[in-house]
């Protein structure tokens, strides 16, 4: 991950882009669901279009990776058409991610972008728990402490949710929180599951993405039919689409793929700073665009969440190396005594 030999400038570039994408996505999505004039679009169709764009981008990256149309064709035939079991395996995170993305739309229809950004950081303890259970990894005491601190911060933020004065639609904070809770569970499980699939073989990341997005398109189309089928047939698949809606879909598509670049070239501390900066940017934007009223509980909770993210990303201390050094010192002291 952080071991790649890249410049500090490139790492800062990755950090800046990741921060802007995360903050802008939540604020823009909130805007399209609460303030933007015109007919409200179908969120299920937006999720489906995002999956299509991700598939196209992954095909482009695989084309670059293989280097020739013949190799690209062979890779697709081998890993897609001749691997139904692998497609079925990747359909699991496809379903989970589809639920997560739809829950994001529901949450941001009922909660402010800043409140959503802070509460969504619950994905960190959820991912940590899934990592311990599914990948047999361990967490340090500092990481467990930061997890409890993060949960305390989110509790403060949700204790008396900050209200946005410029939002005219009816909102239900409880529904918004439940939607985030489901999204958090989906994010933790799907992320760890996908990591486990990736590490179980030497198959290319972009091939795995293509397998997952093919399943994702099918799953999201089923979601469109089940939730908005009649309305889509009556008003059209792209009903209510505006440039802002297209911008949200673009951010959802690019953001998911860009995360892999960030994971490869940066470390946990930089990702922690990115998450904290995204919270700050979302808060500022919410105050300016939605009239968010900052309360003491919100400010205290957001600060606790930012600190906990930083602590969680700190590198573990290599205790085995320290123990070896201690034994070496003890043996030298024994020799000196003898």
């Amino acid at each position: 991950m952080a071991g790649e030999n890249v410049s500090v400038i490139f790492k800062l570039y990755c950090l800046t882009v990741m921060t802007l994408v995360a903050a802008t996505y939540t604020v823009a999505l909130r805007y399209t669901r609460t303030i933007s004039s015109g007919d409200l679009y179908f969120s299920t169709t937006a999720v489906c279009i995002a999956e299509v764009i991700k598939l196209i981008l992954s095909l482009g990256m695989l084309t670059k990776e293989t280097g020739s149309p013949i190799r690209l064709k062979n890779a697709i035939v081998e890993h897609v058409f001749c691997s139904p079991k692998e497609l079925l395996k990747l359909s699991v995170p496809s379903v989970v991610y589809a639920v997560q993305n739809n829950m994001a739309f529901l949450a941001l229809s009922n909660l402010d972008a800043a409140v959503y950004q802070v509460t969504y950081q619950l994905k960190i303890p959820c991912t940590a728990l899934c990592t311990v259970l599914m990948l047999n990894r361990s967490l340090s005491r500092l990481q467990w402490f930061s997890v409890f601190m993060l949960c305390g911060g989110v509790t403060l933020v949700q204790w008396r949710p900050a209200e946005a004065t410029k939002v005219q639609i009816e909102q239900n904070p409880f529904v918004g929180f439940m939607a985030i809770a489901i999204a958090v569970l989906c994010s933790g499980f799907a992320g760890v599951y996908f990591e486990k699939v990736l590490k179980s073989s030497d198959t290319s990341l972009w091939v795995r993405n293509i397998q997952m997005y093919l399943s994702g398109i099918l799953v999201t189309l089923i979601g469109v039919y089940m939730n908005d089928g009649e309305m889509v047939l009556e008003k059209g698949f792209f009903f209510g689409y505006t440039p802002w809606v297209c911008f949200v879909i673009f951010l959802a598509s690019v953001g998911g793929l860009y995360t892999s670049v960030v994971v490869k070239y940066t470390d946990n501390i930089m990702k922690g700073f990115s998450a904290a900066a995204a919270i700050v940017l979302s808060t500022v934007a919410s105050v300016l665009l939605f009239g968010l009223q900052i309360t003491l509980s919100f400010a205290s909770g957001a600060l606790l969440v930012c600190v906990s993210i930083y602590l969680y990303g700190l590198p573990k201390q290599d205790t085995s190396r320290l123990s070896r050094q201690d034994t070496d010192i003890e043996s030298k002291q024994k020799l000196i005594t003898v």
Side-chain angles (χ1 to χ4, degrees), residues 91-308:
S91 66
V92 174
S94 298
V95 174
V96 178
Y97 277 132
V99 174
Q100 174 193 334
N101 293 332
N102 280 285
M103 288 300 104
F105 280 86
L106 180 59
L108 283 165
S109 298
N110 291 280
L111 291 174
D112 188 81
V115 177
Y116 170 87
Q117 193 72 264
V118 174
T119 310
Y120 189 61
Q121 300 309 315
L122 284 172
K123 65 182 180 181
I124 293 177
C126 183
T127 303
L129 182 61
C130 289
T131 300
V132 171
L133 296 177
M134 297 171 63
L135 299 180
N136 296 321
R137 293 179 185 170
S138 60
L139 299 180
S140 65
R141 292 181 180 179
L142 181 61
Q143 285 178 316
W144 281 118
F145 173 75
S146 65
V147 164
F148 287 111
M149 180 188 290
L150 188 146
C151 294
V154 171
T155 302
L156 280 176
V157 168
Q158 290 291 336
W159 190 259
R160 292 182 62 186
E163 296 182 356
T165 58
K166 296 181 182 179
V167 176
Q168 303 299 325
I169 68 168
E170 185 179 352
Q171 300 176 100
N172 190 330
F174 177 76
V175 172
F177 178 76
M178 292 306 297
I180 291 182
I182 295 173
V184 161
L185 292 173
C186 291
S187 175
F189 172 78
V192 176
Y193 181 95
F194 188 59
E195 180 182 352
K196 189 172 184 178
V197 172
L198 281 177
K199 293 184 176 180
S200 65
S201 67
D202 296 329
T203 306
S204 167
L205 168 65
W206 302 113
V207 168
R208 290 300 192 189
N209 279 338
I210 290 170
Q211 292 171 338
M212 185 168 64
Y213 296 143
L214 282 172
S215 302
I217 293 172
L218 178 61
V219 169
T220 51
L221 281 174
I222 294 173
V224 172
Y225 173 76
M226 293 179 62
N227 293 318
D228 303 306
E230 293 183 0
M231 298 297 293
V232 169
L233 289 175
E234 179 184 345
K235 297 183 177 181
F237 194 87
F238 299 100
F239 173 78
Y241 276 49
T242 64
W244 275 107
V245 176
C246 296
F247 182 56
V248 168
I249 295 173
F250 170 77
L251 290 176
S253 305
V254 175
L257 293 176
Y258 194 83
T259 301
S260 61
V261 178
V262 173
V263 168
K264 183 175 182 179
Y265 291 114
T266 65
D267 52 32
N268 285 329
I269 296 178
M270 295 189 74
K271 285 187 288 183
F273 276 123
S274 175
I279 290 173
V280 174
L281 290 177
S282 298
T283 303
V284 173
S286 295
V287 171
L288 296 176
L289 294 175
F290 311 116
L292 180 70
Q293 298 176 335
I294 303 297
T295 61
L296 180 60
S297 61
F298 175 86
S300 303
L303 180 61
L304 279 178
V305 169
C306 291
V307 172
S308 65

Side-chain angles (χ1 to χ4, degrees), residues 40-81:
L40 189 63
Y41 61 98
F42 304 117
S43 61
T44 52
T45 63
V47 173
C48 182
I49 294 299
E51 293 296 304
V52 173
I53 296 175
K54 289 177 185 177
L55 175 63
I56 294 172
L57 293 175
S58 296
L59 282 170
M61 295 303 297
L62 183 61
T63 302
K64 182 179 179 181
E65 185 177 84
T66 53
S68 70
I70 296 177
R71 291 179 182 176
L72 174 65
K73 177 185 175 182
N74 293 337
I76 293 176
V77 170
E78 178 184 355
H79 295 288
V80 176
F81 295 104

